[in-house]
Amino acid sequence: QVELEESGEGSVQAGGSQRLSCAASTYTDCMAWFRQVSGKERERVATIKNDGTTNYADAVKGRFTISKDNVATTLYLQMNNLKIEDTAMYYCAAEAHMWLINNVYTCRPNVEWDYWGQGTQVTVSS
């Protein structure tokens, strides 16, 4: 069982920056940030593997940075140049192990991750 607790909720003006944190109760192979707007499907924002490899959604590339403090098992999401469309509930997620897909170990490719935080709201205003 992995417990995740996010922090960093708040409001910010468009063009501003905000950092989210997620404290995990134990080490995991994969961690990620997802976001969801009411009435829409949850979407993956960024993932990080245990070797530090990262992957980003096209909508946030060049603006968001996912990182992980392996010693403290804390996940971060640095969000810069925020846009109004970034407004959403942000969720931290974790998977204990990676998946072997096409002979490559990778994080779960869909949104059905095993462990989730409670979510933290990010609101970007004009």
Side-chain angles (χ1 to χ4, degrees):
Q1 186 72 18
V2 180
E3 296 181 354
L4 303 171
E5 184 173 357
E6 300 110 333
S7 60
E9 178 174 321
S11 299
V12 63
Q13 286 192 319
S17 298
Q18 191 160 347
R19 189 174 85 157
L20 304 181
S21 300
C22 173
S25 60
T26 188
Y27 181 87
T28 57
D29 275 355
C30 283
M31 296 192 79
W33 289 98
F34 289 77
R35 66 186 181 186
Q36 189 170 22
V37 176
S38 180
K40 294 187 177 181
E41 293 184 355
R42 188 169 297 188
E43 63 174 356
R44 186 196 307 241
V45 174
T47 58
I48 186 166
K49 294 164 59 174
N50 59 2
D51 64 358
T53 303
T54 59
N55 186 269
Y56 296 92
D58 288 342
V60 306
K61 279 181 182 177
R63 300 188 298 120
F64 290 12
T65 302
I66 188 171
S67 62
K68 186 178 174 184
D69 179 345
N70 285 321
V71 175
T73 62
T74 301
L75 182 72
Y76 302 99
L77 185 68
Q78 178 65 44
M79 304 182 290
N80 298 328
N81 191 22
L82 281 160
K83 302 178 180 181
I84 293 175
E85 52 264 41
D86 293 320
T87 296
M89 184 71 78
Y90 284 72
Y91 296 90
C92 171
E95 289 266 299
H97 304 293
M98 287 188 283
W99 292 59
L100 183 60
I101 300 175
N102 296 326
N103 293 319
V104 176
Y105 281 98
T106 188
C107 298
R108 185 188 288 263
N110 57 33
V111 300
E112 303 299 323
W113 285 45
D114 288 338
Y115 305 104
W116 293 90
Q118 79 283 0
T120 187
Q121 178 69 35
V122 174
T123 302
V124 184
S125 60
S126 60

